[in-house]
Amino acid sequence: MRGVFITLEGADGCGKSTQAALLADALGARGREVVRLREPGGTQISEKIRALLLDPANADMAPECELLLYEASRAQLTRQVIEPALARGAVVLCDRYYDSTYAYQAGGRGLDEALVRRANLLGSCGVAPARTLVLDLDPALGYARATSGGADRMEAEGLAFQERVRAAYLRLAAAEPDRVRVVDASGEKNEVTARLLVELEDLL
Ligand code: TMP
């Protein structure tokens, strides 16, 4: 049996981490092995790259350097953790994957879309999610939530950046409706989890 690869996406402060935990519990209750991961991160090397990427002291990081670091972190996670987990039949639930790179580095930063797609192919080692759930929330609300305790290097880009990120996610969902589903992230957290599960029914 092959596993199922599911990714959670959304702008900063959309409630992804909370939903990843709730969704992992719900899927685990169905008797599946659930491997919960986050990007960038999830391996020793990838966590070190994460620290570099989010450190506000690295404000002068070039967009191309940023892109390649996200891809480097992803390649390590994919080879070391995601591929083996899928091979043994687990459900892999990853908080962000290459659609974040499309939304943030192409949408937010304005890097060339075709270039970002090629980089994503390399960074993901060709491993694609079966389903991607985009948690959609008013960016002003999400941004206020994400930055209430201080902003990391990405969050420091501001609200207009988050609005471009959201627009990129919505474009992606329109282009790939089978894989990418937009889910309303407003309201009570258990209601949001129920909405996410509806979008996974056919896979599980
Ligand atoms: P997190 O706060 O959801 O853990 O994600 C870390 C930050 O990195 C978040 O602001 C989104 C950003 N990011 C990108 O810009 N490109 C990517 O490819 C990934 C995975 C995350």
Side-chain angles (χ1 to χ4, degrees):
M1 181 171 87
R2 281 284 291 173
V4 186
F5 185 22
I6 299 163
T7 58
L8 279 177
E9 295 282 354
D12 290 285
C14 68
K16 245 178 337 78
S17 309
T18 304
Q19 288 304 322
L22 292 171
L23 203 53
D25 288 348
L27 298 176
R30 297 182 179 199
R32 298 293 299 249
E33 181 200 356
V34 181
V35 175
R36 199 178 128 210
L37 302 167
R38 70 161 179 189
E39 265 226 276
T43 71
Q44 204 177 354
I45 292 170
S46 309
E47 290 291 337
K48 285 183 177 169
I49 298 174
R50 178 186 179 90
L52 273 177
L53 278 163
L54 299 186
D55 185 350
N58 292 333
D60 58 354
M61 186 180 290
E64 294 80 4
C65 173
E66 178 180 287
L67 171 68
L68 292 169
L69 285 175
Y70 279 115
E71 300 298 354
S73 166
R74 178 165 308 133
Q76 189 63 32
L77 180 69
T78 302
R79 289 292 191 215
Q80 193 178 327
V81 183
I82 296 177
E83 282 184 333
L86 291 175
R88 65 173 187 266
V91 175
V92 174
L93 185 61
C94 198
D95 181 339
R96 300 194 181 282
Y97 199 60
Y98 60 27
D99 299 303
S100 281
T101 315
Y102 175 81
Y104 283 75
Q105 278 65 53
R109 292 273 184 234
L111 285 177
D112 180 70
E113 276 196 27
L115 185 87
V116 169
R117 285 185 193 283
R118 294 278 295 161
N120 276 345
L121 203 59
L122 178 66
S124 65
C125 310
V127 176
R131 180 105 347 120
T132 297
L133 305 170
V134 176
L135 287 165
D136 190 45
L137 193 66
D138 173 5
L141 211 69
Y143 188 66
R145 197 197 269 175
T147 55
S148 62
D152 64 31
R153 192 182 63 85
M154 296 304 292
E155 291 158 354
E157 289 299 325
L159 180 57
F161 184 92
Q162 296 292 329
E163 282 167 348
R164 291 198 297 280
V165 166
R166 174 172 185 254
Y169 278 128
L170 297 182
R171 280 200 304 278
L172 197 67
E176 290 184 61
D178 272 356
R179 176 176 70 91
V180 184
R181 309 283 172 85
V182 178
V183 174
D184 176 9
S186 66
E188 211 270 315
K189 61 185 179 188
N190 290 315
E191 280 171 25
V192 179
T193 312
R195 286 176 208 143
L196 295 171
L197 282 166
V198 167
E199 299 299 335
L200 298 176
E201 272 322 321
D202 62 317
L203 282 184
L204 298 167

